[in-house]
Structure formats: C-alpha cells, structure tokens
Amino acid sequence: MTRTEDDQGADDVEKRVIETSGLTRVYGRGDVAVHALRGIDMTVDPGEFVALMGASGSGKSTLMNILGCLDRPTEGSYVLEGEDVSQLNKDKLAGIRNRRIGFVFQSYNLLPRLTALKNVMLPLMYNGHQSLSKGEMRERAVSVLEAVGLGDRIDHRPNELSGGEQQRVAIARALVNDPSLVLADEPTGNLDSKSGDEIMALLRQLHRSGATIVMVTHSAHDAAKAQRIMALRDGRVTARDLGVEAARRLESVTSLEGEAR
C-alpha cells in the first residue's frame, strides 16, 4: 500500500514531543487583562535541545509553565507526545508532570534537610512506583547521581555542596523518572561562569544521549549550546531558529531593556 503525504504527516505529529497551536494565556479580564501569550505555535521533536530566549515579560516563563503542565492555556492546544493535555484537570496534570516531565530550576529547589540521594529519590516516591522497592529506588537514584558526577556526594546535604553540585543534584532528580521532556529554567543563572559551563556541558551530554530538552535562558553563550534557539517577544514567537550572532544581539538588547526598567 502506498503511503500518502497525509499518512506521513500524521506519523510526524505522533513523533513530536511538543506541539502547540494557537496557544494563548490571558490573566485577568477586560481593561486589566494581561495577554502573556498571543498564539504560540511550536514543535519540538524527540532528542531536540531547544533554547528559548527573550526579555523579561516576553512570555518565556508562562510558556514554560504550560509546557510543564503547571498551568493551562486560555485558548489553543498543547499536545505532549500525541496527547492533548491543554484542558486536563489539576490531578491529571500532576500525573503527567510526575511521569513524563523533569524540571531543572535556577534556584535548584532542593529540600535542605535531605541528602542528595534522598532529594533524587523523591520523584520516585511521589510517582507511586509501586513496582519498585525502596532498595530499587535507591539504586536508580545512585545511578543517576553517578551519571552526573556525584557518586561520591550522595550523602551530602545541599548546604554541603557547591552551587554547581546542587544543580547537578537537581538535574539527577529531573532524570530519575526517565522523563520524555526535560525543562530547564535558567539552569546557570545562579552559578559562576566555570560552574555554568560545566552544567551546560552536562546538558549537552544528556542531549547527545537522546534527552529532549527545552531551556529558558537570557544567555546567548548558553543558548549557543542548544541545537536550536527560539526567540519570544510580547507573547509571540519572533524566531524559530535564531543564529548565534542574532542571539548575542538579542541578549544585549534585553540587558539594556532590563537596565532601563
């Protein structure tokens, strides 16, 4: 049987990790309504590493919240691995987050009283891995900590780790459930340049091993490590594959805009 272009197109959609269409997010109503997103169309394929750049107020954080199933769009659709999650209720969105999305935050968001090992084990516990014993959870957490270079720091608490090491723990926590998508929000924002470069090298290594990553950053230096750079402004996509030089110019402009505020 001959495959049609429509058949091939359907397969392409099924393969995508992310596909949004006409995505909008409006806060408030009437004269005080804030249009944070204004019709976002984007796709991310399995194994892609995409950087999102834009000034404060461009819609990056709102878009990441929706992609991470932390919020729902006002209008439009968000299809995650072939499933439209746009209007799922909070409980179902929580299930999607726990099973299919790993988060890396600028401020690490580690629990201070827990060791690196226990911080990494938390998603396994919340995910209700009834098929895994506590020993198996520990084994999986140790494995991902070793993969990010912290096999000798598993019993250290966050205040006993450097900023770069804390972010490595956060990356291990994001990976422990073997997510379909890793969302990194300014992952080097709280780090010095050396530690930041080490974290970006780790994210590139994860990308080469097949991870699908979407990263928000103000840094053209970091964005250049991604496979593709998207730019947002005033809630709209202004570029889907921004060149590195254009990204540097965008960083300069957004820095000046930030100083002007």
Side-chain angles (χ1 to χ4, degrees), residues 5 18 28 35 52-53 76 82 100 103 111 116 139 142 146-147 150 171-172 222 256 260:
E5 290 183 4
I18 290 172
H35 294 262
L52 297 178
M53 292 190 70
R100 293 156 68 176
F103 295 90
L111 296 183
E139 184 178 345
V142 168
E146 289 175 343
L150 290 179
I171 291 172
D222 288 352
L256 290 171

Side-chain angles (χ1 to χ4, degrees), residues 117-149:
L117 177 63
K118 290 183 177 178
N119 266 287
V120 173
M121 287 176 65
L122 277 177
L124 295 173
M125 298 174 180
Y126 286 131
N127 198 13
H129 270 288
Q130 298 178 354
S131 61
L132 294 180
S133 67
K134 190 171 182 180
E136 289 170 328
M137 290 183 187
R138 185 184 192 281
E139 184 178 345
R140 184 182 290 192
V142 168
S143 177
V144 290
L145 281 165
E146 289 175 343
V148 300

Side-chain angles (χ1 to χ4, degrees), residues 213-241:
I213 304 171
V214 176
M215 174 184 71
V216 161
T217 183
H218 284 91
S219 166
H221 176 76
D222 288 352
K225 307 296 192 302
Q227 187 177 4
R228 177 162 62 94
I229 305 171
M230 290 181 60
L232 273 68
R233 184 177 180 86
D234 297 331
R236 294 185 173 92
V237 175
T238 57
R240 301 184 187 282
D241 196 354

